[in-house]
Amino acid sequence: MAGRRGKTGITIAGVFGGVAIILITIIVIIQTGAWALVAPQFGLTPITSISQLLPGEDSMRKANIGLGLKKPTFTTPDNSGGSTATPDTSTGDSLTTNGLTLPAAASSPLSISDAITATEQLETAAPHPKGYNRAEEFGDWQNSDQLCGYGTTRDLILKRDMSNVVMNSNCKVQSGTLNDPYTGTVINFQKSVVSKGKTVSGDSTAVQIDHVVALNDAWASGLWKTDRKNDRVKYANDPDVLLASQGDANNAKSEGINLYNAGVPKKSLGRWTASTPSVWLPSNTGYQCDYMAKRVYIKQKYQLSMSSWEKSETLAFLRQCQASGR
């Protein structure tokens, strides 16, 4: 029996067939880049991937979520011989927490006061995480001309942030000592040695390279735009954005910001235990103020936006830092 035909002579199968043809045409137009070329002429959003049409994390945001900020804490110097956490108020210098001198790169180039001003001036916009693919958009570590052409950005940051660094003839970092800013602990790093598919010594994952403003955050707050395409690999390899950190802390941080803003998806459970509701904070409380200011510096440098709740939390936290004498 032929497809059911209505009074107009149109079959149900014909309707579905017509819809399928329209959808396929739309997919072809988008995937070939034709839409991205034509859309700006009509004031429309350029779309380069079908994934940008699908519901993204920003669609799950809920307003009016309480901040629940934790007050930054750090001890002041004393003469009792006890441990101290004394953030250095000068920019660009190393910080000292509990007697541990952190890598100079951990310091924020912006003072707390300047970071507050910069935050107020950042664009406020909803996150746009749709269409994000880390490997395709940001690539891998690039070879560094500062490390004989063989060492990568990862090696460059390990060499910069660790002490007692040992490198091989190809400028690959083999070992070193990290005073970790995120946890305030000392890590003796030894690159993994693998034999017959098994690690026989060392642990390359003990120290990882963190994007202080995570790649997913950078994408969602500006680098998703077509005209920012050429900034992505540069951003992913910019030493100003990168910091060597304890592997477990880096894994816990992951994206660095809860793009959902309301609750945490199952895949992210446990990620925000040392954080405010939206912005992750390191467990080393003596570094939290500089960490937050460094996030602002990176967002300012790359003209990235903040969501309204991210900006509110950042400002509230930095003002607490300021009130505490930072």
Side-chain angles (χ1 to χ4, degrees):
M1 181 177 177
R4 185 176 180 181
R5 189 179 299 273
K7 293 181 179 180
T8 59
I10 300 176
T11 64
I12 294 177
V15 171
F16 282 109
V19 171
I21 291 173
I22 293 173
L23 290 176
I24 292 172
T25 302
I26 292 174
I27 292 173
V28 171
I29 291 174
I30 291 175
Q31 293 297 99
T32 58
W35 177 262
L37 293 174
V38 175
Q41 300 177 24
F42 297 94
L44 301 174
T45 302
I47 299 173
T48 58
S49 172
I50 294 300
S51 60
Q52 290 177 252
L53 299 176
L54 301 177
E57 295 175 359
D58 53 329
S59 66
M60 301 181 187
R61 293 190 311 110
K62 295 182 180 179
N64 302 318
I65 302 299
L67 296 181
L69 288 164
K70 297 178 181 179
K71 186 176 181 180
T73 58
F74 48 83
T75 59
T76 54
D78 59 35
N79 297 316
S80 63
S83 64
T84 62
T86 56
D88 191 332
T89 56
S90 60
T91 59
D93 294 327
S94 296
L95 307 170
T96 300
T97 63
N98 294 323
L100 193 69
T101 300
L102 303 182
S107 300
S108 168
L110 294 177
S111 67
I112 298 301
S113 177
D114 288 342
I116 291 173
T117 300
T119 303
E120 293 171 336
Q121 295 173 349
L122 289 175
E123 177 189 1
T124 303
H128 183 96
K130 293 178 290 188
Y132 170 73
N133 183 299
R134 175 171 179 154
E136 291 180 6
E137 305 298 345
F138 293 94
D140 204 346
W141 296 125
Q142 303 292 292
N143 287 352
S144 173
D145 57 8
Q146 298 181 50
L147 294 179
C148 63
Y150 294 103
T152 66
T153 305
R154 170 180 165 80
D155 296 295
L156 182 68
I157 302 305
L158 289 174
K159 181 176 182 291
R160 181 195 68 183
D161 291 352
M162 295 197 304
S163 59
N164 306 315
V165 174
V166 175
M167 307 182 76
N168 65 15
S169 58
N170 288 328
C171 299
K172 301 282 189 178
V173 173
Q174 304 300 298
S175 63
T177 302
L178 175 69
N179 292 347
D180 178 44
Y182 287 172
T183 62
T185 59
V186 178
I187 303 170
N188 293 314
F189 170 76
Q190 186 76 36
K191 186 176 181 179
S192 299
V193 175
V194 179
S195 177
K196 297 180 180 179
K198 295 183 178 181
T199 300
V200 294
S201 65
D203 182 7
S204 294
T205 66
V207 174
Q208 299 179 16
I209 308 303
D210 178 49
H211 293 84
V212 176
V213 173
L215 296 183
N216 192 37
D217 185 354
W219 169 272
S221 57
L223 294 189
W224 63 271
K225 299 176 181 177
T226 303
D227 61 0
R228 301 298 304 276
K229 182 177 181 179
N230 293 335
D231 291 334
R232 295 170 194 162
V233 173
K234 175 183 176 183
Y235 178 89
N237 289 269
D238 184 351
D240 282 352
V241 175
L242 303 170
L243 193 61
S245 69
Q246 184 205 58
D248 289 342
N250 183 47
N251 291 334
K253 174 195 171 185
S254 189
E255 286 132 2
I257 185 169
N258 178 9
L259 293 169
Y260 289 80
N261 189 44
V264 180
K266 290 182 179 179
K267 67 179 182 180
S268 302
L269 287 176
R271 184 172 298 168
W272 308 102
T273 54
S275 70
T276 63
S278 295
V279 183
W280 180 90
L281 287 171
S283 61
N284 179 13
T285 57
Y287 179 59
Q288 289 177 349
C289 290
D290 271 85
Y291 170 82
M292 192 69 87
K294 190 172 178 69
R295 285 191 78 253
V296 174
Y297 164 73
I298 293 168
K299 289 219 163 187
Q300 179 191 58
K301 177 177 179 179
Y302 279 89
Q303 299 179 317
L304 302 176
S305 62
M306 284 188 174
S307 66
S308 59
W309 37 269
E310 177 190 0
K311 180 176 285 191
S312 294
E313 290 183 6
T314 300
L315 285 171
F317 194 86
L318 289 173
R319 285 168 180 157
Q320 289 178 346
C321 293
Q322 190 177 50
S324 299
R326 290 291 282 111

